[in-house]
Amino acid sequence: MTTLPTRRLGGLTVGAQGLGCMGMSHAYGASDDDQSIATLHRALDLGVTLLDTSDFYGGGRNEELIGRALASPGRREQAVVATKFGFANGLGEPTVIRGDAAYVRQACEASLRRLGVDHIDLYYAHRVDRNVPIEETVGAMAELVAEGKIRHLGLSEANPETIRRAHAVHPIAALQSEWSLWTRDLETEVLPVCRELGIGVVPFSPLGRGFLTGRYTSVDGLEQTDMRRTQPRFADGNLEQNLAIVGRLEALAAEKGVTAGQLALAWVQHRGDDVVPIPGTRREKYLEENVAAAVLELSADELAAIDAAAPADGVAGARYDETSLTFVNG
């Protein structure tokens, strides 16, 4: 398998597809660290340079896992490390978002220790603190850039006004938000602002939390700790309508000799050269399938057929539960 071409996120060059590492430690049930590290190393060998984590995932354990993977000789130089801050109480309830200057510095120092690195390549505000001016949050991040502790800044799930205000304080390299065939909220207002300002877009869950691969036809096979058990789109009443979308994608994929997941991921890759999706997986097999999708060519007719099979208004259920939705579009 050939290595990936590169794309730009603001002033940062990365492989055209990244790797979402959350599921290696968080949200999708038990995992095997050795298997995950092997997958991380394989990703780097294939040119998947952007490794995406957060201090929230597994209460910091995911960052520690990435640190272990990068401790192997030569690996740190291959990687573009992206992590995030903002969920101040970790896995506690209720959720507390902090973006005040003191917390930004505290969180960054802790992430550097867990990752075992001397700088973070891309540092995101995981969610926007609605009680703190974004100028304070980004100003604190900019100070960390000046000190050499981080290289580039990012935001996640931010609204257009917030993006503009943040970018006026310090250039924002990337916006990370959910984007896939079944979540297209950012296309109307957020995406045009990012393109106007030269900000790259990093779609998370580009495979709809795995649903668009066709591997999940119910929640029965999911572990009790799997977050998808509580998500509206996997619930009875919505699941059946969403499975019909997957069925149509599978038919199109079969015509092209690929999987439904590869077709859905290739659709995201075709959104523009400033788009770097971060599908998540723990296994080398699925990693290699995803990487193949990054270089899969789709014609205008094929893209139109995919849009028709999975129309933006055809998905049943919200993308998050009600509580989680209050923290997006900040």
Side-chain angles (χ1 to χ4, degrees):
M1 180 179 287
T2 57
T3 59
L4 284 174
T6 59
R7 289 185 174 181
R8 300 275 292 179
L9 298 172
L12 182 62
T13 299
V14 298
Q17 183 182 109
L19 177 60
C21 301
M22 180 185 79
M24 296 175 177
S25 312
H26 183 88
Y28 296 139
S31 60
D32 181 318
D33 283 358
D34 290 339
Q35 180 186 65
S36 294
I37 288 173
T39 300
L40 286 160
H41 288 169
R42 180 63 175 149
L44 293 171
D45 290 340
L46 293 173
V48 178
T49 60
L50 181 64
L51 305 182
D52 185 86
T53 182
S54 169
D55 62 3
F56 179 62
Y57 303 155
R61 292 192 303 277
N62 197 239
E63 288 183 326
E64 292 170 352
L65 176 70
I66 303 303
R68 286 169 53 198
L70 296 182
S72 299
R75 293 302 189 179
R76 175 63 182 102
E77 292 73 21
Q78 293 178 286
V80 176
V81 178
T83 192
K84 315 178 195 73
F85 70 90
F87 286 92
N89 60 333
L91 301 176
E93 294 290 344
T95 300
V96 176
I97 305 298
R98 282 184 63 182
D100 57 280
Y103 184 74
V104 173
R105 179 171 294 276
Q106 172 190 329
C108 179
E109 298 285 2
S111 287
L112 287 168
R113 288 193 298 271
R114 283 189 292 265
L115 289 162
V117 299
D118 63 4
H119 71 275
I120 294 163
D121 298 300
L122 176 57
Y123 199 42
Y124 291 98
H126 203 157
R127 292 291 186 270
V128 175
D129 184 345
R130 299 174 192 269
N131 299 313
V132 172
I134 194 64
E135 289 83 0
E136 177 179 338
T137 304
V138 176
M141 296 166 76
E143 289 179 5
L144 294 167
V145 172
E147 294 170 20
K149 293 177 179 177
I150 58 180
R151 297 283 171 84
H152 299 271
L153 307 189
L155 301 174
S156 181
E157 294 287 359
N159 68 37
E161 179 189 359
T162 298
I163 295 166
R164 287 188 186 281
R165 287 168 55 194
H167 193 73
V169 175
H170 186 281
I172 301 299
L175 174 81
Q176 183 175 138
S177 288
E178 187 169 356
W179 193 9
S180 71
L181 278 168
W182 78 346
T183 299
R184 302 178 65 169
D185 313 39
L186 60 67
E187 293 180 357
T188 305
E189 297 180 351
V190 172
L191 184 62
V193 169
C194 287
R195 290 191 163 152
E196 174 192 334
L197 299 176
I199 299 169
V201 180
V202 177
F204 70 82
S205 295
L207 291 170
R209 296 183 175 80
F211 189 81
L212 297 175
T213 66
R215 291 199 293 274
Y216 304 99
T217 56
S218 77
V219 298
D220 293 341
L222 301 177
E223 294 185 37
Q224 291 299 318
T225 55
D226 194 308
M227 68 174 288
R228 289 170 289 197
R229 283 183 166 272
T230 66
Q231 299 305 303
R233 291 180 178 176
F234 287 81
D236 289 342
N238 293 332
L239 185 70
E240 294 74 17
Q241 182 174 330
N242 296 331
L243 283 172
I245 294 173
V246 175
R248 294 192 291 270
L249 289 175
E250 287 176 329
L252 292 175
E255 293 176 10
K256 198 167 177 66
V258 298
T259 68
Q262 286 177 314
L263 199 69
L265 187 50
W267 178 91
V268 180
Q269 296 277 176
H270 277 70
R271 296 304 90 195
D273 290 340
D274 54 353
V275 176
V276 180
I278 49 169
T281 184
R282 307 164 180 169
R283 297 173 177 84
E284 293 181 60
K285 171 189 174 183
Y286 297 130
L287 169 75
E288 291 176 359
E289 283 187 13
N290 292 342
V291 170
V295 293
L296 180 66
E297 291 294 332
L298 298 175
S299 68
D301 287 346
E302 288 171 327
L303 287 166
I306 293 168
D307 279 321
D313 59 356
V315 180
R319 66 183 175 107
Y320 279 130
D321 59 56
E322 288 187 15
T323 299
S324 298
L325 280 173
T326 63
F327 299 107
V328 304
N329 197 35

